[in-house]
Amino acid sequence: MKQELERVEQEALEAIKGVSDPTGVKTLKARYVGRKGVVTALLRKISGLPPEERPETGRLANELKKRLEKAFEKALQAFEADRGELMADALDVTLPGRPLARGRMHPITQMTKAICEVFQRLGFEIVEGPDVEWDYYNFEALNIPRDHPARDMHDTFYISENIVLRTHTSPIQIRVMESQSPPVRIIAPGKSYRVDSDISHTPMFFQVEGLMVQENISFGDLKGVLTTFAHQIFDEETSLRFRPSFFPFTEPSAEIDIRCVICRGAGCRVCSHTGWLEVLGAGMVHPAVFEMVGYDTDRYTGFAFGMGIERIAMLKYGIEDIRKFYENDLRFLEQF
Ligand code: DAH
């Protein structure tokens, strides 16, 4: 009987090692220590043994039963633990994927590109100039001499007596004309700087400068080009208004308004109830400027214009505070 018990124990422990799932363990458990199990059957047989053997054998058999029950329990727990671990790092392939945050161009960059593309389609070439500029190019060559009152128009950041942060993109006109002869057809986007900061001004802002010079260029050409520009950036219904103005480097000069894109001219807060929005400065290049760069004023005429890119973007997207463009708030920037 003792040997029988030992053999059963060996066999059961061996069998446990071979199971691969909890059901297997439960089946084994029933086979050995269940009501109809091998060990249970052995326990029953004890009553048939000689009386002197019964206590010892009974004790051994009961101990064996306990050990086996423990072994089965342990095996079950091991499976449970494995299952828990699997559940913990389970991969739910039905979950939607996590989108990657995509970067995009700053709204001002997008607007600059859109503006340049309109003019490129009209045959204008993109050029650039330095942000840190000679006083000569920024003022002098644009017919704004040192003591000219027009310099009051610009609150300038001076680097030194003769060097400034350019207050507009107009000096690029001079640089281009100095380096090539007509025909000239350029567009020059870039940063400009003025000592100014409020709801509609930032110390650094963007402008696009335009210049077209060749024989027989008239104010009509300027009007045609700018009208095409407004139609393509806003829409075909957008009309323009030219108001007489003054710039030292153009004559005649004009300030150009577009029909308010918000209220379509009916009058609203954005256009201060005038129905018009000022978007551009422009005019026919002043002969004094041509003389500065050595162009023949009898032969050539040209027009020039300059616009603030933020302003166009504000109108296009209905933004009321220019500073929003430069606060780097992703909630704002992600909308474009
Ligand atoms: N440079 C002017 C400014 O910043 C804008 C301007 C006006 C540019 C007339 C031009 C122009 O080229 O013809 O206020």
Side-chain angles (χ1 to χ4, degrees):
M1 185 79 166
K2 259 192 202 166
Q3 278 159 8
E4 176 80 3
L5 288 174
E6 270 167 28
R7 193 188 57 73
V8 167
E9 179 164 18
Q10 286 293 319
E11 185 191 289
L13 293 177
E14 222 24 68
I16 290 177
K17 283 187 202 156
V19 293
S20 55
D21 58 21
T23 322
V25 178
K26 280 177 194 157
T27 312
L28 274 185
K29 190 176 173 188
R31 187 183 308 156
Y32 284 96
V33 295
R35 280 203 304 135
K36 290 180 183 163
V38 181
V39 178
T40 321
L42 284 175
L43 277 167
R44 282 209 193 96
K45 274 191 195 162
I46 287 169
S47 56
L49 291 176
E52 66 276 12
E53 286 180 26
R54 279 182 220 159
E56 171 73 355
T57 316
R59 188 179 56 81
L60 289 175
N62 274 316
E63 280 173 8
L64 162 65
K65 190 178 177 192
K66 276 203 189 110
R67 277 201 301 278
L68 287 184
E69 276 171 344
K70 240 192 201 148
F72 287 125
E73 206 43 50
K74 229 174 110 185
L76 275 177
Q77 277 172 3
F79 279 119
E80 282 301 317
D82 283 354
R83 208 172 90 86
E85 218 169 274
L86 280 176
M87 292 293 280
D89 46 53
L91 177 70
D92 185 349
V93 292
T94 65
L95 283 175
R98 291 188 195 114
L100 284 178
R102 273 210 287 159
R104 70 195 78 189
M105 280 190 284
H106 191 277
I108 294 302
T109 310
Q110 291 184 38
M111 197 73 238
T112 309
K113 270 192 82 184
I115 293 170
C116 287
E117 277 164 19
V118 171
F119 288 106
Q120 277 179 301
R121 284 197 289 272
L122 294 171
F124 285 73
E125 189 190 336
I126 298 179
V127 295
E128 287 181 322
D131 291 21
V132 181
E133 188 54 282
W134 294 106
D135 175 284
Y136 176 78
Y137 289 112
N138 196 80
F139 295 123
E140 209 80 32
L142 286 161
N143 201 28
I144 315 174
R146 224 163 251 286
D147 53 357
H148 196 289
R151 287 209 185 185
D152 291 345
M153 285 161 61
H154 304 298
D155 295 307
T156 311
F157 286 106
Y158 279 90
I159 302 288
S160 69
E161 172 105 347
N162 290 315
I163 300 174
V164 301
L165 289 185
R166 70 176 174 210
T167 58
H168 49 180
T169 42
S170 304
I172 302 172
Q173 291 184 29
I174 307 298
R175 288 179 171 272
V176 167
M177 289 191 284
E178 269 190 354
S179 66
Q180 74 175 82
S181 35
V184 170
R185 203 183 282 195
I186 59 106
I187 193 94
K191 294 179 183 128
S192 302
Y193 306 83
R194 283 179 211 175
V195 184
D196 214 348
S197 184
D198 60 39
I199 189 167
S200 54
H201 297 90
T202 48
M204 186 280 297
F205 57 101
F206 283 83
Q207 285 191 330
V208 172
E209 192 78 12
L211 174 69
M212 184 167 180
V213 183
Q214 62 189 62
E215 282 156 350
N216 300 320
I217 290 288
S218 73
F219 204 92
D221 295 308
L222 170 64
K223 207 173 164 190
V225 165
L226 292 181
T227 304
T228 305
F229 157 77
H231 287 180
Q232 297 208 5
I233 289 296
F234 297 103
D235 60 46
E236 295 282 330
E237 312 297 311
T238 308
S239 50
L240 295 182
R241 179 172 78 170
F242 288 69
R243 272 185 296 111
S245 184
F246 171 79
F247 297 103
F249 35 93
T250 44
E251 179 59 34
S253 301
E255 248 158 334
I256 293 142
D257 305 332
I258 61 166
R259 179 69 82 185
C260 180
V261 287
I262 312 290
C263 67
R264 299 241 154 250
C268 67
R269 212 157 65 87
V270 176
C271 60
S272 314
H273 301 279
T274 61
W276 294 95
L277 297 159
E278 187 191 322
V279 291
L280 284 150
M284 301 306 290
V285 180
H286 198 293
V289 173
F290 280 156
E291 266 154 30
M292 287 286 200
V293 297
Y295 277 13
D296 182 347
T297 50
D298 288 331
R299 188 163 165 206
Y300 299 115
T301 49
F303 64 75
F305 58 85
M307 66 181 100
I309 300 181
E310 287 86 352
R311 177 134 185 101
I312 307 274
M314 286 165 81
L315 295 177
K316 174 109 183 141
Y317 302 122
I319 296 156
E320 294 192 5
D321 188 341
I322 191 174
R323 295 171 293 198
K324 286 236 172 350
F325 288 122
Y326 301 115
E327 283 167 355
N328 283 340
D329 184 340
L330 286 181
R331 290 168 304 179
F332 173 76
L333 296 175
E334 277 173 350
Q335 295 176 52
F336 302 93

